[in-house]
Amino acid sequence: MSNFPSVLRAESPALSPEDLAFFEEKIRPVLIEHCYECHSPESKAIKGGLLVHSREALATGGDSGPAVIPGDVDESLLLSAMKFESFEMPPQGKLPEQILNDFETWIKRGAPDPRDGEAPQRHTGIDLDAGREFWAFQPLTTPELPEVSGVEEPVDRFILAKLNEAGLSQNGPADAEVLLRRVYYDLTGLPPSPEQVRTFAADSSPKAYARIVDRLLASREFGERWGRHWLDVARYADSTGGGRSRIYRNSWRYRDYVIDSFQADKPYDQFIREQLAGDLLPYESVEQAAEQLTGCGFLMLGPHNYELQDKALLRMEVVDEQIDTLGKAFLGMTIGCARCHDHKFDPIPAADYYALAGIFRSTKSVGPGNVAEWITQEIPMPPEQQARYDEYRRELNSLEAQLADVTNRLKELNPRADARSISPRLLAGIVNDEPKLIGDWKGSTSNPKYVGQEYVHDQNTAKGANSAVFEVQLAEPGQYEIRVAYSSGSNRTSAAPVTISDQTGELATLTINQKPAPPIDGLFVSLGSFELQSSKAEPVRITVGTAGTSGVVIVDAVQLLSSQLLSERDELQRSSLLNATVDLEAVAEARRLKQKKQELTEQISTLKKDAPPAPEEVMAVREEVPDEIGDTELCIRGNIRNLGPVIPRGVLQVATTGDATIRSSQSGRLELAEWIASPENPLTARVMVNRIWHHLFGAGIVRTVDNFGSTGELPSHPQLLDYLAVDFIRNNWSVKSLIRQIVLSRTYRISGQTESQLKSTIDPENRLLAYFPRRRADAEFLRDALLQISGRLEESHGGNTVPNGTNSEFDFTYSDRHRSVYLPVFRNRLHPMLAVFDFPDPNLVQGKRTNTTLATQALYMMNSSLILELAEETAQQLLTDTGRDRQERVEWLYRSALGRAPSADEQELADRFLNTSKPNDSPEVWTMLTQSLFCSPEFRFID
């Protein structure tokens, strides 16, 4: 297979995939859109002598000196100009803060820039036929097996053929203990028990190893181990990330779906279809429908800022993240780089990006709202269960509709049902809620029971200086009951003085205890009946004072009811605020409606107590409404408001033959899924086979597992990759079959690096696999192994591990002891141990984890309270078992932690160390011995 023609290959410095993606997604589009007009070789006049079209141009700078100094934010003039600190660029206006932050991050990272010194060219199109000559886009073929003497397995024949060409030989088989720990780590992510190590080492049967492989492949732990590998690719998390990170309540369902899929050995092509279009696939049972729908969570799990107020931009940001993710996950292609322009390195025109964007813009992923919501769907239930629930909902909806109708009619009949809605004008002459205030009073509406627009209080200050006077003009003199309204509370006064006077003078002074709720309708207290008369000059006055009070004094309203009104059907009329125009029929109807309201409320409560289980929800996309389904315009330079021609929905042209247009009344996700999962697709099987090889050997046949493009690495064994890809498809896309084939091979079972190989200059990176590569154990293995050795690993599997009521990742406490795959993954706050030992960034597709060696890792093993606690529990477990002597305990500890028995020297050293304690074999000294093994490099590496 040939590579790209040189015209399509990037002549650029070696950049990490992360640096390249950051530049292409965050930096280049901004330079093109905002800077090239005045600062590129094609500008009519180059402003300030500055060019920005290449890394050399930025380093040289213009009239003021270098524009970018890698790593130095303060001295990089480009950034200071963008911040309007020196110059003001671009002159149209300061760019958004996020863009400035991106440029600052880029400079801190060393300003990685793949552009050489040539001037940018106008779009001339991409030669797709030339692009198809690149190895990754060549059709899959079945290569002939190399002739190699002494081996039969295809994997070994391809590997040994390359070694023979290089004049290298392959190591012999690994020790039984080393091999067992290796295969347990790879297939289950847990260490073998001492009994399993001892049994396997003593079993000389030629089929012993194959039996163990088959047992491990069938175990639940296999699904958990390999499901976690895929969750790295799927950028799985339980929170949205971003500024105000929110909890994904149902993401765990997708996690369990992935684990179950690998455990059941679901064909990988079906796995793809369900994740991209599970809601559109046919099904034979509700269980299958639920499973397929859950798979759609793959498209929902991205790190999105749901608070973004530009909803059109939010929609496109989600689409972009979905395209970028599926490109890397399934195809090993950085499709997202074509959002703003044709891909600079791979044969992917911007039109292909927007062909895919049309598919995902026709898919509903984000709901409405000031703070938008992600889309969820109800999980289908069995027909009988669904019928019961539907009947329950119909009955509940009917009762709630009746209750709403009764409630509305009550409000119409009796305005006092909501006291705050009382119109003072309607009650003029009877109710006064606007007193004359003397002194310093403060308005409030914090208590829901009050008459007017608000009530006032004296702030519990200036006692004696504050008072409030209600003045009421009477239509005629007579006997009146006087009522005073207040809002109750524990901080109120127990003796608010109220003085009553009319034109004859002062009639009475009474006090009101404002702590308990008012007895009349929760609003008023009666002061009694008084013979009252008034004139224009001398109205009836009810004065609320504050002198001598302790506690807050409340002033709300007063009400005067005439003896004539009170004498007619006294009980009914006392429940009304109306005066001489009381509608007694309306009052009676209100009483009947109140009774009906109570009955309906009780019926609803009873119905809910016996409610059948409601459908549960799952994060899953759905099809857009018909009017929103269709092709979309190309966004010039990625600007959603600078639209170009409409691009028909479709797939990557370079990886297909014939017409790739999608003609469908649906979004096109189903056709996209079928295209990706097709045996004819040149990328899909290769990418997945390479991922599996990477997890078993620590490096893929293509080491850039998420990038099969021209900026990625070339395969070390292209014929082996194609052979395994074809075999993968032929075996019904079975992941377990492929893994079994590889781990049973001679190549997987060889020993590690020897002293002579360490000094060899031929194949120093061991790309040809002359020996088995030593690998650093991942974070999950370290934590899970410690829990298992100490006997504290919980055996429960799956389910929601983010407790109900958790509203923020920042106040979450990691306390459970499930396997690490079940720990919540928060984008802003990972489990401390996972964060220290290179857990992947859940914001990104990361099929290949970073591998660091840092002092913090050793310090964590030495000082972490978790490690100390588990070492103590392991030691306590050893000392409790009286059936073992000291030597047997030391051997058990070594086999548990390191997968092997201690050497004679190690046994003697352990004895001497244990003898230093007083008394001998104290829990403290066994804890220290245990922790020393946990801290050893051998525990943290897999040979």
Side-chain angles (χ1 to χ4, degrees):
M1 296 181 186
S2 60
N3 297 329
F4 270 158
S6 60
V7 69
L8 289 178
R9 293 188 62 82
E11 301 295 336
S12 61
L15 302 180
S16 70
E18 294 79 13
D19 284 343
L20 182 60
F22 190 88
F23 179 83
E24 293 297 337
E25 295 173 9
K26 305 292 187 182
I27 305 303
R28 188 196 292 264
V30 177
L31 294 175
I32 291 174
E33 181 173 356
H34 297 287
C35 305
Y36 273 21
E37 182 178 354
C38 300
H39 299 286
S40 77
E42 296 181 345
S43 304
K44 293 181 180 179
I46 298 175
K47 304 292 180 67
L50 173 65
L51 292 171
V52 301
H53 67 287
S54 68
R55 63 182 180 279
E56 293 88 352
L58 285 172
T60 301
D63 299 340
S64 301
V68 171
I69 299 177
D72 194 334
V73 171
D74 295 333
E75 294 301 321
S76 292
L77 294 178
L78 176 67
L79 183 59
S80 66
M82 295 171 71
K83 291 181 175 181
F84 282 33
E85 294 173 351
S86 52
F87 305 97
E88 295 185 357
M89 295 295 166
Q92 295 85 354
K94 190 175 179 182
L95 296 174
E97 197 67 29
Q98 184 58 54
I99 291 179
L100 301 181
N101 292 339
D102 289 340
F103 270 78
E104 184 171 327
T105 300
W106 174 60
I107 293 170
K108 286 179 179 178
R109 294 169 72 156
D113 186 344
R115 302 171 303 162
D116 58 27
E118 297 182 4
Q121 300 296 313
R122 296 296 185 189
H123 172 68
T124 57
I126 289 177
D127 187 340
L128 293 175
D129 289 334
R132 292 188 182 104
E133 294 298 313
F134 188 60
W135 74 268
F137 303 119
Q138 291 283 306
L140 280 171
T141 58
T142 305
E144 293 186 7
L145 295 177
E147 292 294 334
V148 181
S149 62
V151 292
E152 295 295 330
E153 292 299 322
V155 169
D156 299 323
R157 291 171 70 169
F158 282 110
I159 295 295
L160 286 172
K162 282 270 192 178
L163 286 169
N164 291 342
E165 289 176 15
L168 295 172
S169 60
Q170 192 175 63
N171 283 3
D175 292 341
E177 292 173 331
V178 171
L179 178 61
L180 190 68
R181 190 168 190 256
R182 179 189 301 169
V183 75
Y184 262 80
Y185 171 80
D186 284 333
L187 298 194
T188 70
L190 292 169
S193 69
E195 292 73 22
Q196 290 164 336
V197 175
R198 191 181 297 107
T199 301
F200 180 64
D203 191 343
S204 59
S205 167
K207 295 184 178 180
Y209 175 67
R211 286 197 296 267
I212 286 176
V213 168
D214 289 339
R215 177 170 59 80
L216 297 182
L217 286 171
S219 68
R220 172 70 182 182
E221 289 75 18
F222 171 84
E224 293 167 338
R225 176 63 166 169
W226 284 81
R228 180 60 254 181
H229 290 328
W230 183 256
L231 294 175
D232 287 5
V233 175
R235 80 281 187 233
Y236 173 82
D238 293 281
S239 66
T240 63
R244 194 194 329 178
S245 187
R246 301 167 65 198
I247 303 298
Y248 281 140
R249 295 294 175 195
N250 293 304
S251 57
W252 63 271
R253 296 187 188 278
Y254 174 80
R255 177 203 66 206
D256 287 0
Y257 157 85
V258 169
I259 292 171
D260 292 342
S261 295
F262 277 93
Q263 172 58 28
D265 199 20
K266 180 177 291 181
Y268 181 64
D269 60 338
Q270 180 66 11
F271 188 55
I272 293 171
R273 293 186 190 96
E274 291 175 1
Q275 292 180 92
L276 295 179
D279 57 321
L280 304 176
L281 293 172
Y283 54 88
E284 297 179 357
S285 66
V286 292
E287 291 79 11
Q288 183 185 3
E291 184 177 353
Q292 293 173 170
L293 188 63
T294 305
C296 288
F298 172 83
L299 294 172
M300 299 293 301
L301 289 169
H304 302 308
N305 177 16
Y306 288 98
E307 294 181 274
L308 185 63
Q309 294 304 295
D310 187 337
K311 300 308 178 185
L313 179 59
L314 173 60
R315 183 184 185 190
M316 196 62 197
E317 289 291 296
V318 171
V319 166
D320 177 70
E321 199 276 338
Q322 290 170 334
I323 292 173
D324 186 65
T325 298
L326 83 87
K328 293 174 182 175
F330 299 120
L331 305 173
M333 286 285 116
T334 55
I335 304 173
C337 294
R339 178 177 180 178
C340 304
H341 45 72
D342 289 349
H343 202 294
K344 298 299 179 182
F345 310 117
D346 296 329
I348 304 174
D352 280 10
Y353 176 94
Y354 287 96
L356 292 168
I359 294 173
F360 290 105
R361 281 180 63 88
S362 299
T363 301
K364 193 169 187 63
S365 302
V366 181
N370 180 50
V371 177
E373 287 293 330
W374 50 87
I375 296 299
T376 60
Q377 292 202 52
E378 290 185 349
I379 300 175
M381 297 189 296
E384 328 74 62
Q385 188 176 338
Q386 186 69 53
R388 287 196 303 273
Y389 181 75
D390 289 345
E391 177 58 32
Y392 161 76
R393 286 303 314 177
R394 280 192 292 271
E395 187 175 352
L396 181 61
N397 291 341
S398 173
L399 291 173
E400 288 180 338
Q402 295 177 56
L403 180 61
D405 177 64
V406 167
T407 302
N408 289 332
R409 288 163 63 191
L410 264 174
K411 287 183 178 180
E412 293 172 1
L413 284 169
N414 186 5
R416 196 184 48 73
D418 182 358
R420 285 167 291 180
S421 69
I422 294 174
S423 167
R425 284 187 292 274
L426 176 66
L427 303 174
I430 303 167
V431 170
N432 184 344
D433 63 353
E434 296 181 355
K436 294 179 180 179
L437 300 175
I438 301 168
D440 186 15
W441 295 85
K442 184 176 181 180
S444 178
T445 57
S446 62
N447 191 315
K449 286 284 189 177
Y450 52 91
V451 175
Q453 295 301 312
E454 63 178 6
Y455 61 91
V456 297
H457 61 87
D458 71 342
Q459 306 174 72
N460 201 20
T461 61
K463 298 298 187 178
N466 298 331
S467 62
V469 181
F470 295 94
E471 295 185 346
V472 181
Q473 289 287 352
L474 301 176
E476 57 184 27
Q479 192 79 16
Y480 288 85
E481 180 182 343
I482 299 177
R483 297 175 176 179
V484 177
Y486 65 90
S487 70
S488 60
S490 59
N491 67 337
R492 308 318 198 214
T493 182
S494 60
V498 181
T499 300
I500 303 166
S501 63
D502 65 359
Q503 69 178 21
T504 65
E506 184 175 316
L507 302 178
T509 297
L510 307 165
T511 61
I512 300 174
N513 183 356
Q514 295 187 335
K515 292 180 181 291
I520 303 175
D521 302 317
L523 288 168
F524 291 95
V525 62
S526 176
L527 300 183
S529 294
F530 298 87
E531 188 70 32
L532 299 176
Q533 49 186 307
S534 66
S535 66
K536 213 170 204 183
E538 292 292 339
V540 174
R541 290 184 176 89
I542 296 97
T543 303
V544 181
T546 61
T549 59
S550 175
V552 176
V553 176
I554 302 297
V555 173
D556 184 2
V558 297
Q559 179 185 27
L560 275 65
L561 300 175
S562 71
S563 59
Q564 180 182 356
L565 178 63
L566 292 171
S567 66
E568 297 179 3
R569 300 196 181 181
D570 185 69
E571 183 62 26
L572 286 176
Q573 292 181 348
R574 283 180 182 273
S575 68
S576 173
L577 290 180
L578 299 180
N579 191 9
T581 58
V582 172
D583 184 343
L584 298 181
E585 291 184 3
V587 174
E589 176 66 5
R591 173 166 289 183
R592 188 188 68 80
L593 290 173
K594 286 180 181 179
Q595 180 64 30
K596 180 65 174 176
K597 181 178 180 179
Q598 182 177 349
E599 293 172 359
L600 289 169
T601 301
E602 291 173 355
Q603 290 179 50
I604 290 172
S605 177
T606 301
L607 185 64
K608 287 182 175 180
K609 286 179 182 178
D610 299 325
E616 296 179 321
E617 290 188 339
V618 63
M619 295 173 68
V621 296
R622 61 165 64 101
E623 294 290 84
E624 269 287 8
V625 295
D627 290 347
E628 292 290 329
I629 291 178
D631 304 329
T632 192
E633 297 92 346
L634 186 147
C635 298
I636 299 172
R637 295 180 178 174
N639 188 331
I640 63 169
R641 293 177 176 83
N642 188 8
L643 302 180
V646 173
I647 305 298
R649 285 168 291 158
V651 298
L652 298 188
Q653 300 173 75
V654 72
T656 191
T657 57
D659 185 5
T661 302
I662 290 175
R663 299 175 178 84
S664 173
S665 58
Q666 293 182 317
S667 63
R669 280 185 294 117
L670 185 56
E671 292 89 336
L672 172 64
E674 293 291 355
W675 172 75
I676 292 177
S678 169
E680 304 303 318
N681 191 304
L683 295 165
T684 309
R686 283 183 177 127
V687 169
M688 187 56 181
V689 166
N690 188 64
R691 292 192 188 284
I692 292 170
W693 189 274
H694 163 78
H695 291 306
L696 295 174
F697 290 96
I701 296 173
V702 178
R703 287 195 289 189
T704 51
V705 296
D706 301 321
N707 184 2
F708 273 38
S710 63
T711 58
E713 291 196 16
L714 297 175
S716 60
H717 297 77
Q719 291 183 317
L720 172 60
L721 180 61
D722 272 20
Y723 178 89
L724 292 176
V726 171
D727 200 49
F728 183 44
I729 296 170
R730 185 184 300 122
N731 285 318
N732 195 30
W733 302 79
S734 169
V735 170
K736 285 189 177 181
S737 294
L738 178 59
I739 292 173
R740 187 178 192 277
Q741 179 182 3
I742 295 173
V743 299
L744 289 179
S745 70
R746 164 180 163 169
T747 299
Y748 180 82
R749 300 164 71 174
I750 58 176
S751 62
Q753 189 178 30
T754 64
E755 188 68 26
S756 61
Q757 288 168 331
L758 180 63
K759 299 175 181 178
S760 175
T761 58
I762 303 175
D763 189 26
E765 295 183 327
N766 194 33
R767 298 293 288 133
L768 301 181
L769 291 176
Y771 56 87
F772 199 88
R774 196 178 203 213
R775 294 168 290 162
R776 185 186 299 278
D778 58 33
E780 294 94 324
F781 173 82
L782 297 178
R783 178 179 175 274
D784 294 351
L786 293 172
L787 288 171
Q788 177 175 284
I789 293 167
S790 65
R792 295 298 184 265
L793 182 63
E794 291 189 17
E795 296 184 358
S796 58
H797 304 282
N800 186 9
T801 52
V802 180
N804 292 333
T806 303
N807 296 315
S808 169
E809 58 191 272
F810 297 107
D811 59 5
F812 184 81
T813 300
Y814 291 94
S815 58
D816 65 63
R817 295 190 173 186
H818 296 94
R819 284 203 67 174
S820 298
V821 70
Y822 298 117
L823 289 175
V825 178
F826 297 130
R827 287 193 157 105
N828 289 321
R829 185 173 171 271
L830 294 172
H831 184 284
M833 184 171 184
L834 302 191
V836 168
F837 288 99
D838 299 325
F839 190 82
D841 183 348
N843 294 295
L844 306 172
V845 173
Q846 281 200 265
K848 179 181 179 180
R849 296 187 179 187
T850 56
N851 194 352
T852 63
T853 301
L854 301 171
T856 50
Q857 296 166 344
L859 290 170
Y860 185 91
M861 299 299 289
M862 293 169 60
N863 300 311
S864 164
S865 60
L866 173 64
I867 305 302
L868 293 171
E869 180 184 338
L870 295 178
E872 288 175 358
E873 292 177 357
T874 303
Q876 188 63 44
Q877 182 184 178
L878 273 173
L879 295 175
T880 302
D881 186 353
T882 57
R884 293 191 180 102
D885 60 22
R886 175 189 284 183
Q887 181 175 342
E888 290 171 330
R889 287 171 179 166
V890 171
E891 180 182 344
W892 182 93
L893 192 56
Y894 267 80
R895 289 191 183 278
S896 296
L898 308 182
R900 63 171 178 83
S903 67
D905 288 343
E906 288 169 332
Q907 184 74 57
E908 181 185 354
L909 182 62
D911 280 338
R912 291 209 311 268
F913 178 72
L914 292 169
N915 287 333
T916 62
S917 67
K918 301 294 182 182
N920 290 351
D921 292 342
S922 70
E924 291 77 10
V925 74
W926 275 100
T927 296
M928 294 170 68
L929 176 61
T930 300
Q931 189 183 7
S932 69
L933 292 183
F934 290 168
C935 291
S936 67
E938 191 174 349
F939 175 69
R940 290 184 280 128
F941 281 83
I942 305 298
D943 290 319

